[in-house]
């Protein structure tokens, strides 16, 4: 909700789309920087204090922005970037909890599949809710509601028993690299950066297709179709036991994600285009869930939250890169297809680090 609410607030205060987009991007950049740092702190201190302190800071900053508005661009830029930087590492922290809640790797895989599917629901419902509140009341109210919902959700998790009792497993690796020390993690992050680039390019390609077909509704419907496909793919994965080695699962998912972009290269009617957009989503849900399992398997002991924080950052950087690249390419569908192919190449390079016996770590619940 936050980037959309920031953009709407900027527009209501008379700023142009460029300035509003910069503010929303600053929030995203703050999140990309802050998640690994706060994740490292969480791996050292447990979840309760980092969650509570960071959410109090982020909530206060968003509420200040709601009060003062975005008319003073420089002030709004500082507040927005700081709000993103202090956004609690809730997403990474939740994924770090699964290993202590579920009993087996198959249960963990199903939990991650449901996690990735529900994340798509967030991306569909969040912007919609922010827009509805901004329309029914005003954009500053949307910012305030966004801040308070984030506060309530974070406190709910922070005070739940699994979160309060969670501690990282094993000593942290020596050195400043932390979670980035294992080479397999670095390759996985590069693969997910490329996946993020494909999805970032999708938004521009959808807009270009909407203009080409003179169907404005496509610009929003195409990303929504991909999200629905991801929900469906995640739901299917969560209900099936897949006993193949992790690298086989990751390679198959990445290959399916790459091939799924091929139908979008055709100049098809809008409804066919909409159905075709679901195909990358169906592959994306299992790909993301398998990547989560790989983080568990490849990550150094004591760095699980930071590792997931880096995954969030890599995905965000990739999304921004894909969006920036697709613009000069006039929204060509070749851009997301090429990014997906790059992701597959990085996944293939992961084979030496994901042996047939490599599996996610789980602890007795």
């Amino acid at each position: 909700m936050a980037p959309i609410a920031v953009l709407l607030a900027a527009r209501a205060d008379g700023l142009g789309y460029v300035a509003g987009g910069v503010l929303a991007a600053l929030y995203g950049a703050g999140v990309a920087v802050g998640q690994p740092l706060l994740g490292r702190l969480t791996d050292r201190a447990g979840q309760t204090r980092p969650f509570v302190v960071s959410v109090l800071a982020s909530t206060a900053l968003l509420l200040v922005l709601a009060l003062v508005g975005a008319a003073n661009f420089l002030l709004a830029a500082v507040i927005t970037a700081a709000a993103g930087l202090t956004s609690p590492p809730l997403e990474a922290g939740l994924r770090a909890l699964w290993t202590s809640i579920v009993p087996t790797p198959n249960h963990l895989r199903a939990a991650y599949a449901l996690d990735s599917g529900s994340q798509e629901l967030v991306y569909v419902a969040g912007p919609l809710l922010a827009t509805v509140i901004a329309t029914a009341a005003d954009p500053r109210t949307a910012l305030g509601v966004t801040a308070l919902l984030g506060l309530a959700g974070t406190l709910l998790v922070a005070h739940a028993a699994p979160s309060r009792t969670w501690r990282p497993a094993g000593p942290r690796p020596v050195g400043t690299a932390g979670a980035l020390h294992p080479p397999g993690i670095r390759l996985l992050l590069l693969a997910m950066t490329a996946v993020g680039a494909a999805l970032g390019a999708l938004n521009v390609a959808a807009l270009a297709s909407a203009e080409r077909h003179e169907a404005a509704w496509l610009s929003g419907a195409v990303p929504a179709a991909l999200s629905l496909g991801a929900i469906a793919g995640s739901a299917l994965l969560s209900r099936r036991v897949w006993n193949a080695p992790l690298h086989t699962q990751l390679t198959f998912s990445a290959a399916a994600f790459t091939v799924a972009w091929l139908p979008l290269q055709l100049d098809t009617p809008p409804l066919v285009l909409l159905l075709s957009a679901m195909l990358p989503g169906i592959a994306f849900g299992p790909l993301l869930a398998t990547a989560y399992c790989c983080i568990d398997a490849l990550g150094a002991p004591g760095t699980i939250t930071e590792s997931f924080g880096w995954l969030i950052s890599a995905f965000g950087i990739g999304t921004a890169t894909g969006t920036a690249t697709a613009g000069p390419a006039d929204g060509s569908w070749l851009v997301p297809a090429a990014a997906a192919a790059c992701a597959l190449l990085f996944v293939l390079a992961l084979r030496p680090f994901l042996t047939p016996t490599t599996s996610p770590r789980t602890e007795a619940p």
Side-chain angles (χ1 to χ4, degrees):
M1 291 177 68
I4 296 296
V6 167
L7 177 59
L8 293 173
R11 289 291 296 146
D13 286 333
L15 298 182
Y17 284 111
V18 173
V22 168
L23 289 179
L26 282 172
Y27 181 87
V31 171
V33 172
Q35 291 300 292
L37 297 177
L38 289 170
R40 179 175 291 200
L41 179 61
T42 300
D43 284 329
R44 292 175 174 174
Q47 293 191 349
T48 305
R49 281 180 293 173
F51 278 15
V52 172
V53 172
S54 61
V55 77
L56 289 176
S58 184
T59 300
L61 287 163
L62 287 176
L63 290 176
V64 167
L65 185 62
L67 290 173
V68 304
N72 185 328
F73 178 78
L74 290 179
L75 178 62
V78 172
I79 295 173
T80 303
L85 186 67
T86 55
S87 179
L90 194 61
E91 188 177 336
L94 281 169
R95 287 171 194 146
L97 290 178
W98 285 123
T99 55
S100 61
I101 295 175
V102 300
T104 70
N106 277 332
H107 286 86
L108 182 63
R109 188 173 136 276
Y112 281 145
L114 290 173
D115 187 322
S116 65
S118 60
Q119 184 180 26
E120 292 304 313
L121 288 175
V122 168
Y123 285 129
V124 172
L128 179 62
L129 181 57
T131 304
V132 168
I133 295 172
T135 303
D138 60 76
R140 293 191 182 189
T141 301
L143 266 176
V145 172
T146 297
L148 295 177
L149 284 176
L151 175 65
T154 304
L155 292 180
L156 181 66
V157 173
H159 287 86
S163 179
R164 284 188 289 104
T165 58
W166 180 86
R167 294 295 181 272
R172 288 183 57 83
V174 178
T176 58
L180 296 179
H181 179 72
I185 283 286
R186 297 197 294 269
L187 280 172
L188 181 63
L189 292 176
L190 287 173
M192 296 314 294
T193 300
V195 170
L199 298 187
L202 164 83
N203 296 322
V204 182
L207 179 59
S209 295
E211 293 177 351
R212 187 167 58 252
H213 290 286
E214 297 182 351
W217 55 272
L218 272 178
S219 61
V222 169
L226 185 136
S227 292
L228 289 175
I231 293 169
S234 298
L236 289 173
L237 180 67
S238 69
R239 294 181 61 84
R240 297 185 64 85
V241 175
W242 193 3
N243 290 319
L246 262 183
H247 187 265
T248 300
Q249 296 181 35
L250 190 65
T251 302
F252 180 85
S253 301
F257 184 67
T258 302
V259 172
W261 292 98
L262 296 181
L264 288 162
Q265 310 305 313
L266 305 174
D267 189 18
T268 57
L271 288 179
V272 177
L273 174 64
L274 199 61
L275 292 175
S276 298
M278 295 185 68
L279 298 177
I282 292 172
F284 171 65
L287 174 59
L288 191 59
T290 308
Y292 294 158
C293 291
C294 291
I295 287 285
D296 270 317
L298 295 170
T303 67
I304 184 65
T305 313
E306 183 186 349
S307 298
F308 278 116
W310 278 115
L311 184 63
I312 295 166
S313 294
F315 200 81
I317 292 169
T319 301
T321 302
T323 302
T325 305
D330 295 325
S332 170
W333 286 104
L334 285 173
V335 177
C342 289
L344 177 58
L345 292 177
F346 285 123
V347 166
L348 292 174
L350 262 173
R351 179 177 289 278
F353 305 100
L354 286 172
T355 65
T357 58
T358 304
S359 63
R361 294 184 288 264
T362 55
E363 307 163 9

